[in-house]
Amino acid sequence: MRAFEGLRFRKVSSPIHRLDPRAKFIGSFIVFSVAVLFTELMPLIALFLLQVPIILAAKVVKQWLESLRGALFLSGMIFVMNLFVGYALLYSAAMSFRFLTLVASFSWFFLTTSPDDLGLALERSRVPYELCFAFTTAVRFVPVLADEAQTIIDAQRSRGLELDRGDILKRIRNYIPILIPLIVNAIRRSLELAEAMESRAFGSEAERTSLHVLEMRTFDYVFIILAVVLLFVALYVRFFIPFQWII
Amino acid sequence: MIEVDKVSYAYSSGTVALKEVSLKIQRGEFVAIMGENGAGKTTLIKHLNGLFKPTKGSVTIDDVDTRERSVAELSRKVGLVFQNPDHQLFSETVEEEIAFGLVNFGYDPETVKRRTVWALNLLDLKRYRDSSPFMLSGGERKRVALASVLAWNPEYIVLDEPTIGQDQMQKDRLRELIIQLNTQGRTVIIVSHDIEFVADCAPRVVLMSQGGIIADGPASTILTDYGKVLAASLVRPQITQLFQSLSDLGLSGNIIDLYEAERLLVELIKGDKL
Ligand SMILES: Nc1ncnc2c1ncn2[C@@H]1O[C@H](COP(=O)(O)OP(=O)(O)O)[C@@H](O)[C@H]1O
Ligand SMILES: [Mg+2]
């Protein structure tokens, strides 16, 4: 549950939060793609450091570090696995660092983009409204479900359930008293939500209007241009600079 | 004895839910913890069976620090019933639901059977024995949750908001049950917003506000104190309000009991006639 904290949107007033979600998506996606282009440590470290100013400007350093800490275990696994199957030390380090860079780009995108903005952006990209709505609702309910799961665990432990007792099969079975109430409540809640939405005329008109309308501003274009420049620089380095010059 | 000593608790989000709370509850007492939404009542009672360990301070149950025991060990002594039954019901039948705790604690099949039947009867659930708990009404689900904890007969019984979703008849029955358990020597702690219900039970009242205890004493003193009750975002019981606004007639200001109110009024009216 802790790892999710590092992806959970919180309302903060910062230039990055105010960026258009589409601009942020392009930025985050380009970082992602560039990370996939390289298997060398140096460019990956540079890419990682390039994101630090964004995090600082967005004032989400703490949550971002939290998400990285969550990823550290998997990153360590990747390192060990690569070494284990016989790759070089430097390559293994690069692979595990690549994973961290990917998580970092994901993390700042989700930390600074509200589910509502994300939904709006999807809508503007002509994704059917029902799908956008399903998506934003799902994202919004993740923290609610996480809290509820914790309360259910507390309630069952109060009735003597010990999750980490018994052999592996017993341990899996121990989760049944947690999962059933969680699923039943989620279904119940979704049915109630559907009724409440229909009572407020959800889906009655084919054309919807929006309370907030997305508009690209100068800063959004600047951000996109910087990201595209990064992409071209990365492509240039990748394909026109000899391999041995990059470590 | 339950001893909460200068307990502070902060959630990982940073919210400080308890600030240096100290509270002693003797065996056999009946205590109601009251206070506004978010006062920290649920956070406090989750400390009593070790679900939460204090960030600062300590909680001891019969001289054992909760840090030194598992939740399962402590729960055997301190039965905690959560506010929302839907956070725990999962079994196919009401009977299995009630037996869940007994099985976890490793009672022999004979005892499990006997105690389950006892709890079914205690909460008037016998006819639902083979029903699915999900098919019951809100009030009934709440009673199943209560039965599933009372089943192992814990010495300390802690109930979070037991009256929510219950109609007046069920509340009356619940009150009788709580008082019956208390007279049989169980320590009962309830968390409640329901001032009329608490006034009817007349327990010791602990008022909480913003993570601290702001008043502690007998119901007739605390619930009739305008300022203290207001500080916990509550209103005095209706009968108290009536008697206090009629204080010019020489009526006592700390009445919470209907029968006593009736006696005093009859006395007053008869006195006037003479
Ligand atoms: N899981 C949680 N994470 C973060 N904060 C919480 C959590 N649960 C409760 N709180 C906060 O702690 C405070 C006390 O909550 P709680 O003990 O539930 O109050 P009460 O039961 O008196 O209504 C509130 O401010 C609440 O928002
Ligand atoms: Mg509560």
Side-chain angles (χ1 to χ4, degrees):
Chain A
M1 297 300 159
R2 287 294 293 270
F4 282 113
E5 282 294 305
L7 295 175
R8 193 156 159 180
F9 173 77
R10 276 185 202 77
K11 231 185 165 80
V12 180
S13 168
S14 88
I16 306 297
H17 284 75
R18 275 191 296 273
L19 270 176
D20 190 286
R22 289 165 292 183
K24 273 184 277 190
F25 180 76
I26 293 172
S28 171
F29 186 74
I30 286 180
V31 171
F32 187 97
S33 317
V34 172
V36 176
L37 276 181
F38 289 93
T39 54
E40 297 85 356
L41 198 52
M42 273 308 151
L44 286 168
I45 289 179
L47 191 62
F48 186 84
L49 291 181
L50 219 53
Q51 296 179 81
V52 172
I54 301 179
I55 310 300
L56 289 176
K59 304 179 209 160
V60 289
V61 180
K62 228 181 90 190
Q63 293 91 314
W64 187 65
L65 288 178
E66 185 78 19
S67 77
L68 287 184
R69 217 180 53 176
L72 220 50
F73 176 72
L74 264 178
S75 164
M77 289 278 284
I78 293 174
F79 182 70
V80 173
M81 292 287 261
N82 273 293
L83 275 185
F84 186 72
V85 296
Y87 284 111
L89 187 70
L90 213 56
Y91 180 84
S92 308
M95 283 299 114
S96 75
F97 208 77
R98 175 150 91 176
F99 178 70
L100 279 187
T101 311
L102 296 180
V103 171
S105 70
F106 251 63
S107 168
W108 66 255
F109 177 75
F110 282 105
L111 277 174
T112 61
T113 312
S114 77
D116 295 320
D117 272 359
L118 213 54
L120 278 179
L122 284 176
E123 241 179 287
R124 288 299 284 275
S125 325
R126 305 225 170 66
V127 177
Y129 182 72
E130 281 74 14
L131 278 181
C132 302
F133 180 78
F135 174 77
T136 47
T137 313
V139 171
R140 214 173 331 196
F141 272 112
V142 166
V144 178
L145 281 183
D147 281 352
E148 187 159 272
Q150 190 56 55
T151 309
I152 293 171
I153 291 174
D154 286 350
Q156 306 299 34
R157 288 177 76 202
S158 298
R159 295 200 295 163
L161 178 69
E162 288 175 295
L163 285 175
D164 45 12
R165 201 174 57 177
D167 55 28
I168 183 85
L169 267 175
K170 173 89 171 65
R171 281 185 198 206
I172 294 170
R173 273 216 317 270
N174 283 344
Y175 278 87
I176 293 175
I178 314 286
L179 289 175
I180 292 182
L182 195 63
I183 294 167
V184 169
N185 287 344
I187 293 173
R188 188 178 288 151
R189 189 179 292 126
S190 67
L191 293 177
E192 280 169 9
L193 183 66
E195 282 178 4
M197 303 264 314
E198 277 176 27
S199 316
R200 290 184 289 168
F202 182 81
S204 79
E205 301 293 318
E207 276 296 315
R208 294 173 51 88
T209 52
S210 305
L211 177 59
H212 303 287
V213 181
L214 288 183
E215 248 178 317
M216 298 277 263
R217 280 160 310 170
T218 324
F219 189 46
D220 297 316
Y221 289 114
V222 172
F223 191 82
I224 294 176
I225 289 169
L226 285 176
V228 172
V229 168
L230 167 70
L231 180 64
F232 279 109
V233 170
L235 286 173
Y236 178 79
V237 170
R238 173 75 299 165
F239 295 110
F240 294 97
I241 293 189
F243 266 102
Q244 59 273 26
W245 289 20
I246 318 172
I247 34 168
Chain B
M1 186 174 76
I2 294 179
E3 205 171 348
V4 177
D5 188 30
K6 296 208 197 74
V7 165
S8 299
Y9 185 82
Y11 283 98
S12 56
S13 65
T15 313
V16 179
L18 295 176
K19 294 169 204 153
E20 303 231 331
V21 169
S22 293
L23 180 67
K24 274 187 196 168
I25 296 173
Q26 306 288 341
R27 263 184 198 229
E29 268 198 281
F30 178 12
V31 181
I33 300 174
M34 307 189 74
E36 81 261 355
N37 251 330
K41 308 178 296 289
T42 301
T43 310
L44 175 61
I45 59 171
K46 281 187 175 176
H47 279 84
L48 302 184
N49 70 348
L51 280 171
F52 289 176
K53 314 286 183 192
T55 317
K56 265 194 293 188
S58 68
V59 177
T60 51
I61 311 292
D62 295 338
D63 296 323
V64 176
D65 193 308
T66 56
R67 287 200 185 85
E68 289 159 15
R69 293 281 186 278
S70 71
V71 175
E73 284 171 305
L74 289 163
S75 295
R76 211 157 160 159
K77 212 172 216 178
V78 183
L80 180 56
V81 184
F82 278 56
Q83 176 174 346
N84 185 350
D86 296 335
H87 285 147
Q88 66 164 64
L89 302 182
F90 77 99
S91 305
E92 260 174 76
T93 66
V94 168
E95 185 178 25
E96 283 169 47
E97 189 69 50
I98 293 175
F100 180 67
L102 296 164
V103 174
N104 284 333
F105 289 130
Y107 286 96
D108 62 277
E110 172 95 17
T111 315
V112 171
K113 195 135 237 149
R114 190 165 44 78
R115 305 250 54 186
T116 306
V117 172
W118 175 79
L120 278 167
N121 285 329
L122 189 68
L123 282 137
D124 196 18
L125 290 165
K126 207 164 177 186
R127 75 203 110 122
Y128 301 123
R129 187 182 184 142
D130 299 316
S131 316
S132 158
F134 297 108
M135 293 301 151
L136 304 181
S137 75
E140 287 157 356
R141 290 209 294 275
K142 196 125 182 166
R143 266 157 44 222
V144 174
L146 182 55
S148 80
V149 171
L150 292 183
W152 70 82
N153 209 4
E155 285 167 55
Y156 300 92
I157 299 163
V158 187
L159 312 177
D160 200 352
E161 306 276 8
T163 60
I164 284 186
Q166 306 280 328
D167 62 32
Q168 195 53 50
M169 281 257 279
Q170 291 163 342
K171 277 194 206 175
D172 289 343
R173 234 185 267 143
L174 181 68
R175 190 185 66 235
E176 277 162 26
L177 172 69
I178 290 175
I179 291 173
Q180 178 196 335
L181 290 165
N182 184 232
T183 354
Q184 287 168 357
R186 307 280 135 210
T187 311
V188 181
I189 300 166
I190 62 171
V191 165
S192 183
H193 269 105
D194 191 335
I195 200 140
E196 300 293 343
F197 180 80
V198 174
D200 281 346
C201 296
R204 166 182 163 196
V205 173
V206 173
L207 280 190
M208 287 187 72
S209 179
Q210 295 176 18
I213 291 177
I214 55 169
D216 183 350
S220 58
T221 325
I222 305 290
L223 299 186
T224 54
D225 187 321
Y226 177 81
K228 284 182 178 147
V229 165
L230 189 68
S233 301
L234 296 163
V235 286
R236 293 156 295 156
Q238 291 193 347
I239 195 70
T240 311
Q241 293 184 36
L242 178 69
F243 268 57
Q244 290 186 352
S245 61
L246 293 180
S247 60
D248 288 348
L249 300 176
L251 286 172
S252 160
N254 62 350
I255 297 301
I256 57 169
D257 184 72
L258 265 185
Y259 296 104
E260 189 167 7
E262 185 184 331
R263 190 178 59 75
L264 289 173
L265 281 178
V266 168
E267 233 171 54
L268 181 77
I269 293 166
K270 276 192 179 151
D272 271 357
K273 274 192 187 146
L274 284 178

